[in-house]
Amino acid sequence: GRSEFAQSVKDLMREYGADGIDLDWEYPGIEGYPEHPFKPEDKVNFTLLVQELRQTLGKKAVLSFAAGGFASFFDQSIEWDKVMPLVNYVNLMSYDLVSGYSTVTGHHTPLYSNPKQEASADHGVKYLLKLGVPAEKIIIGAAFYARSWSGVENINRGLYQSGKFKSFVPYHRIPSTFTAEEGFVFYRDSVSQAPWAYSPQRKEFATFDDYGSVKLKTKYAIQQKLGGIMFWQLTDDQAETGLLQAIWEATK
């Protein structure tokens, strides 16, 4: 199966003039989407897949993979010493750190940790560096979308409170979804450098990246001499002066 997959990737690259492939396996060896099958031996199977792809695609092909931004992924999913010499980049998913399965609100894409929340882009980068991953191969992630929760009591402006996941909201819909008329007020965590919104009227909480937080993430990537910044996903952005613009501005 690995051999056939690798050959099909090579054929597609040749047909479309692509320069490589990014693997998104959520997650080797540990639970991802509820009831999605996983098994411990997939940690080794992931290594074998990367080895097969590198051998089939050759040295010039760009090979990268998406990495969960939390400790159990770092510790249990990847044979870092075997995989990293074969890939160009690891795309750190420093978003969904509070996922749609969480019953407690929080920052889903913070730059830094705070006393209430360890998972963050910076925490993930430092973890990978300790594992021996070269800084120039680490790509951090920005979220071009919000996640919201309902039934959130008006305590701490909705942050770190019980709630029920409600929706995924593209960035371009944030202004029309979380409105002042609906009681939403926007806040910023000065420690985590993460924005959020809360409506005591509707008892709804939302967490997201914005222009300022994405700009700071991009500057962080430059200052830490990382490989760069990536995002999910382009179609969620505004057509003009959106988050892609924030990345561009930060690189100047």
Side-chain angles (χ1 to χ4, degrees), residues 33-53:
Y33 189 88
E35 299 183 5
H36 192 280
F38 69 96
K39 49 191 176 182
E41 54 264 41
D42 282 340
K43 181 176 183 178
V44 174
N45 287 336
F46 184 81
T47 303
L48 295 174
L49 175 62
V50 169
Q51 290 172 341
E52 186 80 37
L53 283 164

Side-chain angles (χ1 to χ4, degrees), residues 181-219:
E181 289 76 15
E182 296 282 358
F184 282 97
V185 179
F186 286 73
Y187 304 97
R188 185 171 301 275
D189 185 326
S190 60
V191 177
S192 293
Q193 295 298 336
W196 84 94
Y198 178 69
S199 169
Q201 176 182 319
R202 295 184 60 86
K203 292 188 177 181
E204 289 184 11
F205 169 94
T207 168
F208 44 85
D209 261 326
D210 64 7
Y211 200 93
S213 67
V214 168
K215 211 167 181 180
L216 284 173
K217 279 184 177 177
T218 307
K219 289 180 179 179

Side-chain angles (χ1 to χ4, degrees), residues 96 98-100 108 145-150 164-170 173 177-178 184 204-207:
D96 290 344
V98 175
S99 73
H108 97 82
Y145 60 93
R147 289 190 173 278
S148 71
W149 279 256
S150 61
K164 182 179 180 181
F165 179 74
K166 182 183 179 184
S167 63
F168 167 106
V169 180
R173 283 181 46 212
T177 304
F178 309 124
F184 282 97
E204 289 184 11
F205 169 94
T207 168

Side-chain angles (χ1 to χ4, degrees), residues 103-245:
T103 57
V104 177
T105 66
H107 301 305
H108 97 82
T109 181
L111 177 53
Y112 295 105
S113 306
N114 67 42
K116 284 275 194 177
Q117 184 175 339
E118 182 180 62
S120 68
D122 177 66
H123 177 260
V125 168
K126 288 176 177 175
Y127 214 117
L128 291 176
L129 291 174
K130 284 182 182 178
L131 289 167
V133 178
E136 63 270 17
K137 287 191 174 185
I138 300 173
I139 312 291
I140 57 173
F144 282 18
Y145 60 93
R147 289 190 173 278
S148 71
W149 279 256
S150 61
V152 180
E153 292 299 325
N154 188 12
I155 303 170
N156 196 30
R157 297 164 177 170
L159 187 59
Y160 303 122
Q161 305 304 313
S162 297
K164 182 179 180 181
F165 179 74
K166 182 183 179 184
S167 63
F168 167 106
V169 180
Y171 180 72
H172 65 80
R173 283 181 46 212
I174 286 178
S176 61
T177 304
F178 309 124
T179 66
E181 289 76 15
E182 296 282 358
F184 282 97
V185 179
F186 286 73
Y187 304 97
R188 185 171 301 275
D189 185 326
S190 60
V191 177
S192 293
Q193 295 298 336
W196 84 94
Y198 178 69
S199 169
Q201 176 182 319
R202 295 184 60 86
K203 292 188 177 181
E204 289 184 11
F205 169 94
T207 168
F208 44 85
D209 261 326
D210 64 7
Y211 200 93
S213 67
V214 168
K215 211 167 181 180
L216 284 173
K217 279 184 177 177
T218 307
K219 289 180 179 179
Y220 173 91
I222 295 169
Q223 291 163 356
Q224 301 298 320
K225 295 181 170 56
L226 305 182
I229 186 169
M230 57 88 176
F231 49 86
W232 181 270
Q233 61 176 341
L234 186 60
T235 53
D236 292 337
D237 201 8
Q238 292 179 175
E240 295 179 357
T241 62
L243 300 183
L244 188 61
Q245 181 72 23

